[in-house]
Amino acid sequence: MIAGALFYIRKPARAAKAEKTADVGKQILFRYVIYGLIAFSLLGSSGYWYWNWQDGNQIVDVTIVSPNIASSEVYQVRKRDITNNMLTTVDGISIRLSNQERVIIAKSKKQ
């Protein structure tokens, strides 16, 4: 790849030739198509980023059921703060989960 780039750089410049109007039009059209694709991809990426951020900030009710004590606790947690063995509530409380506890996630009724 580097050798190809050096070959291209050292290649003597071609003699300038007169461009036809049709060729100039095609180049301008090609440039607009490329700019359109870039704008579309940036818009799509920013839309996906916003959707992901909004979904992560959604507050859900997490019910933790412990089989040892036969009790359950309900916490409000943002979706992005739920991991495999730990969650952090809206109030900032970090809760570590054991392998035996059952976790139920539902949409929050109050927001």
Side-chain angles (χ1 to χ4, degrees):
M1 185 185 269
I2 295 174
L6 288 173
F7 176 73
Y8 180 76
I9 290 172
R10 293 181 185 265
K11 190 167 124 179
R14 295 182 188 172
K17 61 179 180 177
E19 293 186 26
K20 296 179 184 177
T21 306
D23 292 338
V24 173
K26 286 180 184 178
Q27 289 176 352
I28 291 172
L29 180 64
F30 182 70
R31 188 175 299 158
Y32 283 143
V33 168
I34 293 297
Y35 287 151
L37 288 174
I38 291 171
F40 181 73
S41 66
L42 287 174
L43 185 65
S45 297
S46 61
Y48 177 76
W49 176 81
Y50 175 73
W51 173 78
N52 194 16
W53 174 79
Q54 187 178 18
D55 187 52
N57 277 336
Q58 184 178 2
I59 296 176
V60 294
D61 288 333
V62 175
T63 305
I64 301 174
V65 180
S66 176
N68 297 336
I69 307 172
S71 67
S72 64
E73 294 286 328
V74 179
Y75 300 99
Q76 286 195 333
V77 180
R78 286 189 175 84
K79 272 185 165 182
R80 69 169 183 242
D81 294 332
I82 300 172
T83 59
N84 289 339
N85 58 355
M86 188 173 144
L87 55 94
T88 305
T89 66
V90 175
D91 300 328
I93 301 169
S94 294
I95 301 170
R96 296 190 68 193
L97 304 169
S98 71
N99 291 336
Q100 291 137 6
E101 291 176 327
R102 188 173 56 153
V103 177
I104 303 169
I105 300 173
K107 286 188 176 182
S108 181
K109 292 175 180 49
K110 57 180 177 177
Q111 285 190 2

